[in-house]
Structures are given as C-alpha cells and as structure tokens.
Amino acid sequence: MNKGKLLTLEGIDGSGKSSHVAWIADFLRSREKAVLSTREPGGTKLGEWLREQLLTLPMHPETELLLMFAARKEHIAEVILPALERGEWVICDRFSDASHAYQGGGKGLNHRRLVELELWVHGDESSQPCEPDLTLLFDVPCEVARERIALAGRHLDRFEQEDAQFHDRVRHAYLERARKFPERFRILDGQKTLEAIREEIAALLTEAGA
Ligand code: TMP
C-alpha cells in the first residue's frame, strides 16, 4: 500500500500547467509534506534521453507510443513508486493521460493498444497499480494556447509543430478522459488569473489531504 500521493498535471501545450509546478511543491511543503517534482517524458536519465529523441526525431506514431511507455516504465519503477513508498507527494508534469490524449486522440492510435500498455506499465498483478490520486487538467481553447506559444517566441518541438486540428483533438480527448474518470480529474479554467487558479488548486490539494 502506497503511503504517498501521485498528483498529475495535464493539458494541451500552452495550457500553462508547468508554471504551477514549483508553486504546488511550495504549497505542499508548507503543509509539511515531502515532495518530489518530476515530468514525462523524462524523470530518469534514460527518460530524459528518450524525451530528447521524442521531441525532435521523426518516428512512426506507434514507435512514439512505445517509447512514451518505455520511459514511463523506467520512471514508475525507479522514481515514482519508491517516492510513494517513502510517503512523498509526487507531482508529475504529464502521465499516461497524455498518451491517451496525444497518441490516442491526436494521432488516432488504437485505444485497446493504449489500455494494454497502460495495464502492463502501471503495475503487475502482484502490486497495486500506479494510478494518479488527483489529476489537474488545465483547460484552454486551442487558439489561446497557440497564441501563448507564439508569444513565447521559442523553437517549437515536434508536438507543438502539429496543426490546430491535432491540438483540438488532444484537448477533446483530455476532456473525455476527465468525464470518464471524474473521481480523480479536476478541470481548471486555464484562462483565469494565476491567483484564481492557485486558489482553486490550494482548495483541491487540501481536499486531497494536504
Ligand atoms: P511538455 O511540453 O509538457 O514537457 O511535454 C512534452 C510533449 O510530449 C508534449 O507536447 C506532449 C507530449 N507527450 C505525448 O505526446 N505523450 C505522452 O505520453 C507524454 C507524457 C507527453
């Protein structure tokens, strides 16, 4: 039985989710919780190397899906489960919902395949599966997200270079996941002010036991 909690942050590129990670970590520490912040793809030496390839190299969509889950297996086994067993709160910037949204919704890969990989990678029969306790979905319309990315003026990675229709499918796949798993998903309006969003996050974290 895990003693810690797994908190995942999700949303389309430009949703603003990553800008809350450090604030959430500080908030949890102020509530005397031990915290580990990490991200996907990434979070381990191998995972960060895979991230670099995934964000830059062209590849078959199924290769992309398999590499996302390979990086995730390493991340769960080496970082996430040990931290949860130590009783820490793990803040993970993206997790398997991102594979459902991007590779499932965005790229149209077979749902059954995704579920099979998820069951395999999240845990075997002998242990409790590694599922998020709370998933914060930062929702913004695609035009707003694209405008933010353009304003940032940096080089776009392989996913950010996808067209508006792709990101619209990703957004709707996320919203569909939230409807399917209402017990762990909370949708936040990413167009609200930073202060208003943080107030909501603080309430949700308190409700989750912080
Ligand atoms: P980031 O920009 O939030 O760090 O994420 C990197 C990109 O990787 C982002 O565009 C979404 C994509 N991604 C997937 O396509 N599938 C996944 O399973 C994960 C974790 C990320």
Side-chain angles (χ1 to χ4, degrees):
M1 185 68 184
N2 291 327
K3 297 187 292 260
K5 288 205 191 281
L6 176 57
L7 168 65
T8 58
L9 309 189
E10 300 284 0
I12 59 173
D13 294 282
S15 63
K17 65 179 172 46
S18 306
S19 58
H20 298 286
V21 173
W23 184 86
I24 292 173
D26 286 344
F27 178 86
L28 290 173
R29 287 192 187 105
S30 77
R31 299 279 171 103
E32 316 278 296
K33 306 294 180 196
V35 178
L36 184 129
S37 300
T38 186
R39 68 173 180 180
E40 291 204 351
T44 62
K45 197 168 178 198
L46 175 62
E48 289 295 326
W49 183 82
L50 286 169
R51 177 188 179 89
E52 184 62 30
Q53 318 313 314
L54 280 159
L55 296 190
T56 53
L57 294 182
M59 63 185 78
H60 190 283
E62 289 188 355
T63 308
E64 182 180 292
L65 176 68
L66 289 165
L67 291 181
M68 290 289 180
F69 272 99
R72 184 163 297 130
K73 179 77 236 181
E74 191 69 9
H75 196 205
I76 291 174
E78 295 302 319
V79 176
I80 297 179
L81 280 184
L84 292 176
E85 278 158 15
R86 290 193 300 269
E88 295 175 12
W89 282 59
V90 177
I91 307 167
C92 195
D93 190 345
R94 297 196 187 281
F95 196 57
S96 296
D97 293 306
S99 300
H100 283 276
Y102 281 79
Q103 282 68 50
K107 303 226 165 151
L109 294 188
N110 185 299
H111 180 69
R112 191 175 48 82
R113 283 263 159 82
L114 260 145
V115 172
E116 278 168 9
L117 279 169
E118 193 175 18
L119 284 173
W120 178 12
V121 166
H122 281 213
D124 55 37
E125 309 75 43
S126 61
S127 63
Q128 185 192 352
C130 182
E131 300 295 345
D133 295 285
L134 175 64
T135 299
L136 301 179
L137 173 58
F138 294 82
D139 182 53
V140 290
C142 293
E143 315 80 70
V144 173
R146 285 178 87 78
E147 219 172 276
R148 285 180 184 170
I149 294 171
L151 272 175
R154 53 179 172 72
H155 173 75
L156 301 186
D157 68 37
R158 208 163 56 81
F159 294 97
E160 290 166 333
Q161 285 170 24
E162 294 279 357
D163 63 17
Q165 288 75 25
F166 174 89
H167 286 105
D168 214 42
R169 290 197 298 278
V170 173
R171 181 185 183 204
H172 285 98
Y174 266 134
L175 291 169
E176 187 52 42
R177 299 282 296 164
R179 264 191 294 275
K180 204 164 164 188
F181 301 103
E183 68 292 344
R184 71 172 166 92
F185 264 93
R186 296 292 176 270
I187 303 176
L188 294 154
D189 179 351
Q191 286 184 283
K192 286 190 178 169
T193 63
L194 209 61
E195 291 69 34
I197 294 175
R198 285 179 179 171
E199 208 171 298
E200 277 184 48
I201 296 175
L204 291 170
L205 293 175
T206 303
E207 195 186 307

